[in-house]
């Protein structure tokens, strides 16, 4: 299976079994999603979803969160990973969003990265989910799964992965593919003990077929 066929195979499968993929982060406003994505770094969506309702009820807008203290924010998010650093990022993000951008999240990925705590992955999530742009956010799942399947080759960084994926995915499907790869990595192609026995796309998976070929070659001898 060549690279183009591999993409077609995966896209057709995912489109059939997950026709409307969405983020598992709960949110009601763009600002709420931005806060949730910042908090989700090295933390589960389940944990973030437990934290954000109370936090955003207390501070629902950039202005109200900017007017809070880092300690106030910390008390709401202390059960997530790296709460002190994230409290600082969220607080400083809200301050800049209020003072520089007048409470409006910019829709440009590069401009959005001016906000504290907002890297390229977070900016791409916002661009895709809120602004419906063909932006590929590469998190740990996307990075791992796309390499294992062989959708990308010799990508060392998330940016290299992003660029390779964007070359082969139709623009109207980039947003969906982001979620497909995340969900596949979260529930099937896990970092430890991937569930290859129940994986429906092993026919396209470079890692699975390489390992099976090695096993078969050993069996011959």
């Amino acid at each position: 299976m060549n690279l183009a066929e591999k993409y077609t195979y995966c896209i057709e499968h995912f489109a059939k079994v997950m026709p409307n993929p969405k983020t598992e982060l709960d949110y009601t406003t763009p600002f709420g999603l931005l806060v949730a994505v910042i908090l989700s770094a090295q933390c589960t969506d389940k944990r973030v979803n437990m934290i954000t309702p109370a936090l955003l009820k207390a501070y629902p807008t950039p202005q109200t969160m900017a007017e809070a203290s880092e300690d106030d924010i910390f008390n709401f998010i202390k059960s997530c990973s790296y709460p002190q650093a994230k409290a600082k990022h969220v607080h400083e993000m809200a301050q800049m969003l209020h003072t520089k951008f007048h409470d409006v999240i910019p829709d440009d990925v590069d401009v959005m990265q001016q906000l504290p705590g907002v890297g390229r992955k977070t900016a791409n999530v916002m661009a895709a989910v809120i602004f419906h742009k063909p932006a590929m956010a590469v998190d740990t799942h996307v990075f791992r799964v796309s390499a294992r399947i062989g959708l990308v080759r010799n990508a060392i960084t998330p940016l290299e992965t992003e660029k390779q994926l964007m070359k082969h995915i139709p623009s109207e499907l980039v947003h969906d593919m982001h979620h497909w790869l995340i969900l596949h990595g979260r529930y099937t192609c896990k970092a430890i003990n991937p569930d290859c026995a129940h994986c429906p796309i092993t026919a396209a998976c470079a890692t699975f077929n390489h390992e099976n070929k090695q096993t078969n070659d050993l069996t011959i001898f």
Side-chain angles (χ1 to χ4, degrees), residues 23-45:
T23 178
E24 293 187 318
L25 290 170
D26 296 334
Y27 70 98
T28 57
T29 66
F31 178 65
L33 178 61
L34 180 55
V35 171
V37 176
I38 292 173
L39 295 179
S40 70
Q42 300 183 57
C43 187
T44 65
D45 288 359

Side-chain angles (χ1 to χ4, degrees), residues 9 13 31 55 70 89 117-118 130 146 154 164 184-185 208:
Y9 186 94
H13 165 75
F31 178 65
L55 173 66
E70 288 182 23
H89 288 156
V118 178
I130 299 300
S146 58
N154 303 315
Q164 288 191 42
H184 188 64
F208 178 84

